[in-house]
Each structure stands twice: as structure tokens, then as C-alpha cells.
């Protein structure tokens, strides 16, 4: 299984509700490693870049307004199959449909306040990570991560 990096955002609702420790712990307990992490307030330009695929959809303005509404925690999380693995730990987009045991299934109620973002493909991760992090802010390049991972 390839070692992958994925972009995770603990959105402003996660920070406001004091859930970032719980959320990050779930990725760590699964064996993924935090390769980069920062707390920031996302401005509109970055939000539009990040959510470009959703421009024009009915929920787009609300989404941009929400993601820029307060501090969020951005992370690069790395590990074997981390892109799909983190998506399954996060759970379905609509918390009503998210399985109990997933982050959204355990802590969220509505699709507009679903706590976490995770890249949904290798292409998305490759596009999204540079929107949030400089290469120098990411610790451990993909090929160096193997020895951190206690898995096979
Ligand atoms: P994802 O976060 O599970 O990848 P996407 O379809 O990429 O889901 O949508 C991005 C974000 O936009 C979602 O996490 C959610 O916060 C918001 N969103 C998606 N669909 C809706 C909707 O129908 N109403 C309100 N917000 C939505
Ligand atoms: Mg998405």
C-alpha cells in the first residue's frame, strides 16, 4: 500500500466546539502521522481556491462564508492509503448518513457543520495540500515516512 499524504481540515465548528484534539487523536490512533499542522483563519481567496469544484452550487456561498468564519486547524496527515483511510474515519458528507464510530457519525448533526474536510483522491490531495502548506512546512517527505508507520 502506497504511503500517501492527505489534506485534513478541522473546520471552524470543530475549533469552536473544542473537538480538534479528539479529531486529530482519531487519525493518530489509526496509525497515521501528522506531517504538518497549523491554526489559521482562512481568507476568501484561499477558500475559493480550496472549494473551486463547488463554485456555482447552491451551498457554495454558505460554505465559503462558514469556512472563513473563524480559526480552523489544517493538517497534512500521512500513512498507508491515508487518503481513503482518512475519508472513512471522517465518515459520509451528510452526518445523518455517517456511520457511528466515524467522526461525523459521532459528533456532527448537519451537512453544513460536518466538522472535517479530507481530500477525496490522489489528485485532490495533490491540488489541495499546496493551497494550505509550503513544502518546507511538511515534515518528512513521502518516501521518508515508511519507518514511521507501524503497519504492513
Ligand atoms: P466532503 O467534505 O465530504 O468531501 P463535498 O461534497 O466535497 O463533501 O462538499 C464539501 C462541503 O460542502 C461538505 O463537507 C459540506 O460541508 C458542504 N456541503 C456539501 N453538500 C452540501 C449541501 O447539500 N448543503 C450544504 N452544505 C453542503
Ligand atoms: Mg470534498
Amino acid at each position: 500500500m502506497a504511503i500517501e499524504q492527505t489534506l485534513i481540515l478541522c473546520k471552524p465548528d470543530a475549533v469552536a466546539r473544542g473537538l480538534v484534539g479528539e479529531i486529530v487523536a482519531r487519525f493518530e490512533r489509526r496509525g497515521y502521522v501528522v506531517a504538518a499542522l497549523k491554526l489559521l483563519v482562512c481568507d476568501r481567496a484561499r477558500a475559493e481556491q480550496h472549494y473551486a469544484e463547488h463554485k456555482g452550487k447552491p451551498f457554495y456561498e454558505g460554505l465559503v462564508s462558514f469556512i472563513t468564519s473563524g480559526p480552523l486547524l489544517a493538517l497534512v496527515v500521512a500513512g498507508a492509503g491515508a487518503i481513503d483511510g482518512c475519508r472513512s474515519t471522517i465518515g459520509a458528507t451528510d452526518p445523518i448518513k455517517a456511520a457511528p464510530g466515524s467522526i461525523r457519525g459521532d459528533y456532527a448533526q448537519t451537512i453544513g457543520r460536518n466538522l472535517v474536510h479530507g481530500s477525496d483522491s490522489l489528485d485532490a490531495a495533490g491540488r489541495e495540500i499546496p493551497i494550505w502548506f509550503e513544502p518546507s512546512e511538511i515534515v518528512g517527505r513521502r518516501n521518508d515516512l515508511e519507518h514511521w508507520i507501524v503497519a504492513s
Side-chain angles (χ1 to χ4, degrees), residues 19 27 40 46 49 62-63 81 89 91 94 98 124 133 136 141 150-151:
L19 289 172
F27 296 116
L40 75 161
R46 195 196 300 259
Q49 219 185 336
L63 180 60
T89 287
D94 183 351
F133 291 97
S136 62
R141 305 307 302 174
V150 188

Side-chain angles (χ1 to χ4, degrees), residues 11 51 53-54 59 63 87 93 104 111-112 114 116-118:
K11 298 183 190 181
Y51 281 128
E53 67 179 295
H54 297 302
F59 59 85
L63 180 60
R87 290 280 294 187
T93 304
R104 287 166 172 167
I111 197 165
N114 62 4
V116 195
H117 167 85

Side-chain angles (χ1 to χ4, degrees), residues 5-8 24 33-39 73-78 129 132-141 145 148:
Q5 295 181 339
T6 187
L7 179 80
I8 299 294
V24 174
V33 297
V34 174
L37 178 152
K38 69 170 101 162
L39 185 77
L73 194 75
L75 304 94
V76 175
V77 169
I129 289 170
W132 298 88
F133 291 97
E134 299 293 333
S136 62
E137 295 176 309
I138 302 170
V139 176
R141 305 307 302 174
L145 285 168
W148 293 5

